[in-house]
Amino acid sequence: MINVHLIIIVIFVLYFIFHSLAASLTVKHWVAQHWTSFMPYYRLTFNLLAIVLALPLLALLVFFPGEPLWQWQGAGFYMTSGLALIALLGFFISLSHYDLSEFWGTKQWREGIETVNDQEVFHISPLHRYVRHPWYFLLLVLIWTRDISSTQFTAYALVTLYLIIGSRLEERKLIAYHGEVYRQYQQKVAGLVPLPWKILSAAEATALIDKYKAARDQDDA
């Protein structure tokens, strides 16, 4: 009998290794040094591969759902559905605060950008005042407010672990990009789950952005 849970774990670990290595500054710098002409296509290729390589995991969840573990009913159903709807709304609202062409890599491709660093400057969107990784938080809300089967539980637990580890790896790059200002932002705002005592006011967000701009202007001078 096929051990679906073991297959999910193996696929996910391999995916995590690929995704983390490909997103690392070490690999990006190596490609930039040895294959400079590919850099304008790096981000776009990375995103396309990330989607394609996730398909086997999604197929397992569809074709081998496993036994139901819990299903939301009654008041719980309405509460979790409301939370999921709010998460979806928050996700779509947040899109306007990102440079999606830079995120997907089409900007680098069109403009022939060969640099390793992300092009988007440090900014603090409304959601970033409450949590440093709003998309990760909203994804966690979406997956854990759904009915859960045994294979889904395995996959969702791995996704949660991946987001915890991946967010820390990502923040190493953000510190490398944005320096001390991002460290100060880290101290003031929670990482994955919003905390009432770690919320940035609009004035504080503006002050951090102004400090970042001043530091950049000084470096460029």
Side-chain angles (χ1 to χ4, degrees):
M1 183 176 179
I2 297 176
N3 190 327
V4 179
H5 299 277
L6 180 59
I7 295 175
I8 289 175
I9 292 173
V10 170
I11 291 176
F12 199 90
V13 169
L14 292 175
Y15 184 89
F16 173 79
I17 292 173
F18 158 76
H19 196 274
S20 299
L21 287 175
S24 69
L25 288 178
T26 301
V27 171
K28 288 182 177 180
H29 281 298
W30 186 92
V31 174
Q33 182 178 359
H34 295 86
W35 196 7
T36 307
S37 61
F38 180 69
M39 284 306 296
Y41 312 97
Y42 189 94
R43 179 81 182 194
L44 184 60
T45 303
F46 169 80
N47 284 324
L48 291 176
L49 283 175
I51 294 172
V52 171
L53 294 177
L55 294 179
L57 180 60
L58 295 176
L60 283 172
L61 295 179
V62 171
F63 294 108
F64 300 94
E67 297 296 323
L69 291 184
W70 71 76
Q71 294 178 322
W72 300 105
Q73 297 180 351
F77 170 79
Y78 292 106
M79 180 184 70
T80 54
S81 296
L83 288 174
L85 184 60
I86 292 172
L88 282 173
L89 182 61
F91 177 80
F92 284 112
I93 290 175
S94 71
L95 291 178
S96 62
H97 297 281
Y98 288 88
D99 184 348
L100 295 180
S101 64
E102 191 273 339
F103 174 81
W104 285 110
T106 55
K107 177 180 179 180
Q108 296 89 318
W109 169 45
R110 290 195 314 268
E111 299 180 8
I113 298 173
E114 297 179 348
T115 58
V116 172
N117 290 359
D118 289 345
Q119 304 303 305
E120 192 167 359
V121 299
F122 176 71
H123 71 285
I124 302 175
S125 73
L127 287 182
H128 280 91
R129 289 170 44 204
Y130 298 90
V131 64
R132 299 198 302 271
H133 301 279
W135 281 6
Y136 292 177
F137 169 67
L138 295 174
L139 176 59
L140 289 174
V141 172
L142 284 173
I143 62 178
W144 290 112
T145 53
R146 302 299 83 211
D147 294 341
I148 304 292
S149 69
S150 57
T151 54
Q152 287 172 328
F153 181 83
T154 299
Y156 294 169
L158 289 169
V159 168
T160 302
L161 180 62
Y162 172 72
L163 293 180
I164 293 172
I165 298 174
S167 64
R168 295 179 180 179
L169 294 176
E170 182 180 346
E171 294 207 327
R172 292 182 184 178
K173 293 190 298 180
L174 293 172
I175 291 173
Y177 292 151
H178 307 309
E180 182 59 29
V181 171
Y182 193 84
R183 293 184 187 274
Q184 295 178 23
Y185 172 65
Q186 279 182 310
Q187 296 171 0
K188 294 178 178 292
V189 179
L192 276 180
V193 179
L195 300 173
W197 58 91
K198 298 196 74 174
I199 294 175
L200 205 62
S201 69
E204 288 173 322
T206 300
L208 275 180
I209 293 172
D210 290 341
K211 184 180 294 186
Y212 169 76
K213 290 179 179 179
R216 284 193 66 188
D217 292 341
Q218 185 176 3
D219 291 339
D220 294 338

